[in-house]
Amino acid sequence: MGTREKLIERFKTQPSDFTWNELVRLFAAFGYEIGNKGKTSGSRVIFKKGESAYTAHKPHPDSIIKPYVMKQVLEFFKNNKLI
């Protein structure tokens, strides 16, 4: 099992210590690029691949992703048939 597969499997378990950097790598593994929504975006970022996009807030001051966001991202991946 490669690094990509390990990251996906880790995400599927919905761990409570999943970090922002891991989330960025996860989206990148599915071909998404990260961007911001402009000068006034603050901590909002967009993960985009073609017409498919997901907007998230970068957590601060910690880098740990909130459980409700993990569930939303999992649903997004399922709806887009990535997982």
Side-chain angles (χ1 to χ4, degrees):
M1 186 182 299
T3 316
R4 178 182 186 265
E5 291 80 17
K6 286 180 184 177
L7 181 62
I8 293 168
E9 288 306 314
R10 174 169 155 69
F11 174 74
K12 284 181 180 180
T13 67
Q14 297 283 283
S16 61
D17 62 346
F18 205 78
T19 66
W20 175 256
N21 289 337
E22 287 176 306
L23 187 65
V24 170
R25 287 190 354 248
L26 183 64
F27 271 98
F30 291 122
Y32 285 78
E33 294 184 1
I34 189 170
N36 66 21
K37 305 274 290 176
K39 283 185 173 182
T40 60
S41 69
S43 63
R44 281 185 303 165
V45 297
I46 188 166
F47 296 98
K48 191 163 178 143
K49 175 180 152 184
E51 296 296 316
S52 177
Y54 184 84
T55 303
H57 284 86
K58 185 175 179 180
H60 52 81
D62 298 350
S63 66
I64 303 298
I65 305 297
K66 301 274 190 236
Y68 76 91
V69 174
M70 294 285 290
K71 288 179 186 171
Q72 290 173 350
V73 172
L74 181 60
E75 282 302 311
F76 174 79
F77 287 154
K78 285 181 178 179
N79 290 340
N80 286 282
K81 297 176 177 47
L82 299 170
I83 290 181

